[in-house]
Each structure stands twice: as structure tokens, then as C-alpha cells.
Amino acid sequence: MKKIILITLLHALFLQLAACGGGSANSQVSTSSSSSSSSSSSSSSSSGSSIVDSNLLPVVEVFTNNQNIVDEPKINATMRVTNYVIGQPPIIDYDGNIGIEYRGSSSQTFFDKKSYGVETRDAAFNDLDVSLLGFSEEEDWVFHGPYSDKSLMRNTLMMDIGATFGRYVSDWLYVELYLNGRYEGVYVLLEKIKRDNGRVDIANLRPEDNSGEELTGGYIIKIDKTNGEHEGDPGAYALYTPNMSFQSIHGNGIETNNSAHHFIFHEPHHSDITTEQRAYIEDYVYAFEDALAGENFTDPDTGYRNYIDVDSFVDYLLATEISGNIDGYRLSTFLQKDKNGKLAMGPLWDYNLAFGNANYNDGWRTDLWIFDAETRFDGGVFPIPFWWMRLMEDPYFVDLLKTRWTTLRSSALADAEITNMIESKVSLLEETGALARNFNRWDVLNVEVWPNYFIGETYESEVDYLSEWLSARLTWMDAQIAAL
């Protein structure tokens, strides 16, 4: 503990020294005053004369002007982002206005370390596209605070794994966050899932696009809880309304609970989608499900293949199964449809309860299929769609799955590559001192935090558990897929 405190003090001293030459962002770490309300988003300007001589994570400082952050609406605040490049003075990457709110569902209730949704804003507090820390320009950002995930890497690891599939996943970066001068620990800066050239690159569906090929895309829908759709009501986690969503006309295929899944309008948002657009995407999804549930579902022309990007479904299944994500298929699950395109799975999102980090729904096990909900739980209020069990009945889909798995495991997802992904994150967090500072702020090692299955005494034991769990999972999947 003395070592942790010493490292924390050295970090604070460095921040103060970095500010001596001209007021870098870190000059406000020990104060509660607001940073400048200017809207600079330059990543090339720097202030201060101190030269960075050690590896440090970017620092994000948020000042709320004595306001409390809530779960919608976003409050007006200011933010300064300072980047550190060895051999250069601290670089002010952003210094301006933002809107900020809590985000997440269970995490808001159970975790002391909160996650945040942030909008970058101009001097009049209107949305402002910026490039934070080299990311593509946008206005919406996520600051995810790993808490029950004591490895601090389940989401970042899944983003790296997802990237090997050659599909878009959110860019991510570790940062350290200060809120009103108080250190809040290691966070992951993520791109929020949005339609954009640098994010989900599908057609921009405008309000006037209500007929012809313009009506066919692009859409993003999701299978998820409804907290974020009910402003100011974080408890509305399963309050689906016809305004925000539509319900499948098919059950989940589990006799003990024939609940149907719901699709939430993500983009266009339910407040923006037109009647014609709503009808189009609903009818398209219904047609896909009808074809998949029908007797001739394997027919290449009239069956489900006529409606979906099959390869994307293969990749989503493999990604979900690799991670053993208990929320997979049924929560934080996104689908997209481009203009004149088919329905596709993705992007991947929300894996803090994956890789064995859950003590319910068999979340700790490495030896069962997540999509086979009947062997795990009865579906409950958030059932897994029937799609996946049905798809696995089609030899064509299974052949694609086997081929894809063999290719990935012999290259991007070989054991050595997975090990490198994990070790590189550990090295970064240790070498920057961020790991020690985070657990000095949040003393959760060797403490049960919902829904931990494994409780490690040290950070090293938490990483070992994740690594051993993933190795066992991949070995089991190798055998199971080979036997299909």
C-alpha cells in the first residue's frame, strides 16, 4: 500500500510540474474551478515548458460547476484533455464545453465507479464534432469505468478481438479521469455507436427518405434494456413502448418461457424516425424471422439468406461465444441495415460481464454455448432470439462457421496473439503507474463486487483468471466446432 500511495503522489507531482510552464490541463487537478469554456479541439497545440520523460496515460479533467451529474439529461460542464508524448511538453488535446451524464444500467446501481456519456459542445453548448486523442471527429463519447472487471480490460480485449474479424469496432484508449479535482481512476474512452463515416458507415437516412431505395437504409436497431430510452428514469430497464420499439412476433423457442424479444430504434432514433421508415424496418425484420422460422428456411433464394448478411451473423456468434458473454444475443446487441443491403450484426458492445466475470446464468463456465439458452436459463424478461439455434440447424451456416473459426484460430486469434493482447494491456497500465493509482482510488481487489464469480487477492491473479478462463474457452470451442 505504501508503494501505491507513493506512486500516486509522484503522479500528482508530475502533473503539477507539467503545468509550471504555462497552465496545462493538469494545473487544475487540485482545484475545483472550471477549466476554460473555449472550444478548442486542436491536437497539435501545447502549453507548458516541461518535457514529458515517462510513459503516461492521457488525463481527462471534468468540471461540473457544483452541479450533480444525473442519468439524463446531460448537464453543462467543461472538460480538458491532456495528452503526453515522451520528448514533448504536455499537449492540450481539448479544452472546452461538454454535456455529461451517467450511462449504463446495472453499473449505475451496483458500481461506485460510474461510467459517463459525454457530448463535446461549442461556446453556446451546441453539439460540436471534435477529434479526441486522434479518434475520428464526432460529438458523442463514452467514458467507461471498469469496476467489477478488475482486470480493467474485458471491454478493450473484446474490441481487439472484434477488430481481427475485419469489421468496425469502437476505437478505444485508456485514460485517467479527474472529476472536479478528484482522481477517479482508469477509464476507457470509446466511440459511441453511431451512424457516421468514421463509425457505423452506412447511409444517412434523412426524414425525407420515405420511398424507393432511399427508404432501404441505413438503420441501426438494438436488442437491449430500455433505461436509456426513458429520460430521467433509470429504473425503466424493461419498459418497452410501441413508440420506441417493436416486438418480435416469434417467441424465443424455449417452452418454459415464450417471451418475445424487442427491437429498439437506435438510428434513426424513435423521436426522429418517420412512419414510413418505421414500417419498412419492422416489415423487413419480420420477413427475416418468418423466413428463418419457416419450413424452407435453408433455401438460398427464399429462406433467411435472402434477408441477412450471413457472414456477419457467423462473426457475431463466434465473438459472443469466445467471450462467454452472458448478455450476448439478448442485450447490448446491435444490428444494422445499409441502403439496398441486408440486415447485418454489429457492432460489438459491452463485455464487462464477459470472460467469466459473472456468477449467474453459468457466466463462469467455459463448456457450454451461450446461444443455447435452454441449457442456461429460461429466457426471462430478456430472451435470446430463436435465430441462433435455428441457424445452427443449417449445414450451410455451420460450414461457414467452421471455416471462419479455422482461419481465425490459425492467424489473428492464435493463442500467442491472444496472449499478446492481454500482456500489452497489462504492461501499459503498469508502466504508466495508472494501475496502482486506480486501485488506490478503488480498493476492490480481494473484495466481492457484483457479479464477480472469481475474487482475486491481487491484480495479477485477476489477469491470470481471465487468461486461464479464455484459454479453456478457446480449447473447448476448438473441439466443439471441429465436431459440428
Side-chain angles (χ1 to χ4, degrees), residues 299-477:
D299 188 284
D301 298 317
T302 63
Y304 72 89
R305 285 188 244 173
N306 190 41
Y307 298 95
I308 67 169
D309 176 348
V310 181
D311 289 338
S312 75
F313 277 67
V314 168
D315 284 354
Y316 180 84
L317 185 151
L318 289 176
T320 303
E321 296 299 336
I322 288 169
S323 66
N325 184 17
I326 60 169
D327 287 345
Y329 309 110
R330 65 192 190 99
L331 293 170
S332 298
T333 298
F334 288 84
L335 301 98
Q336 55 185 285
K337 185 187 181 302
D338 202 357
K339 185 188 299 183
N340 296 321
K342 296 181 179 181
L343 192 67
M345 293 299 303
L348 305 177
W349 192 252
D350 193 6
Y351 288 81
N352 62 312
L353 301 185
F355 301 105
N357 190 35
N359 61 8
Y360 63 98
N361 285 350
D362 291 324
W364 63 92
R365 292 181 59 179
T366 60
D367 61 344
L368 48 74
W369 292 114
I370 302 299
F371 67 76
D372 187 3
E374 192 168 7
T375 66
R376 298 170 51 244
F377 65 112
D378 67 6
V381 71
F382 303 114
I384 293 177
F386 74 94
W387 312 342
W388 307 97
M389 292 291 288
R390 186 67 160 165
L391 288 169
M392 292 297 285
E393 295 175 16
D394 182 9
Y396 172 81
F397 185 87
V398 171
D399 284 346
L400 288 178
L401 187 77
K402 295 180 70 170
T403 300
R404 184 65 158 151
W405 181 250
T406 300
T407 300
L408 289 169
R409 284 290 279 150
S410 62
S411 55
L413 292 183
D415 290 344
E417 297 297 328
I418 295 288
T419 298
N420 182 62
M421 291 179 191
I422 294 173
E423 290 181 348
S424 64
K425 292 172 178 52
V426 173
S427 295
L428 175 66
L429 293 172
E430 288 182 339
E431 291 170 4
T432 58
L435 183 66
R437 289 187 290 273
N438 182 82
F439 289 113
N440 184 48
R441 174 66 177 89
W442 305 107
D443 189 15
V444 294
L445 294 174
N446 204 28
V447 175
E448 181 179 1
V449 178
W450 180 90
N452 291 158
Y453 174 77
F454 173 81
I455 304 169
E457 294 184 2
T458 64
Y459 178 73
E460 290 74 18
S461 63
E462 289 284 350
V463 174
D464 286 346
Y465 169 72
L466 186 157
S467 300
E468 291 165 6
W469 187 97
L470 183 51
S471 177
R473 180 66 173 166
L474 293 170
T475 299
W476 183 84
M477 288 182 64

Side-chain angles (χ1 to χ4, degrees), residues 225-342:
K225 299 176 182 178
T226 63
N227 309 57
E229 311 303 321
H230 295 278
E231 187 169 325
D233 188 1
Y237 70 100
L239 184 57
Y240 298 97
T241 66
N243 178 52
M244 73 163 70
S245 63
F246 62 101
Q247 180 175 323
S248 171
I249 57 178
H250 291 271
N252 62 6
I254 301 174
E255 295 181 0
T256 55
N257 187 326
N258 202 34
S259 300
H261 43 279
H262 294 75
F263 303 93
I264 298 173
F265 302 110
H266 186 69
E267 284 200 21
H269 188 261
H270 65 78
S271 61
D272 300 316
I273 195 168
T274 68
T275 301
E276 293 83 359
Q277 293 164 359
R278 180 187 297 263
Y280 174 83
I281 192 62
E282 287 183 16
D283 290 345
Y284 192 96
V285 172
Y286 290 152
F288 154 57
E289 291 198 322
D290 284 343
L292 185 60
E295 292 183 1
N296 298 319
F297 77 103
T298 62
D299 188 284
D301 298 317
T302 63
Y304 72 89
R305 285 188 244 173
N306 190 41
Y307 298 95
I308 67 169
D309 176 348
V310 181
D311 289 338
S312 75
F313 277 67
V314 168
D315 284 354
Y316 180 84
L317 185 151
L318 289 176
T320 303
E321 296 299 336
I322 288 169
S323 66
N325 184 17
I326 60 169
D327 287 345
Y329 309 110
R330 65 192 190 99
L331 293 170
S332 298
T333 298
F334 288 84
L335 301 98
Q336 55 185 285
K337 185 187 181 302
D338 202 357
K339 185 188 299 183
N340 296 321
K342 296 181 179 181

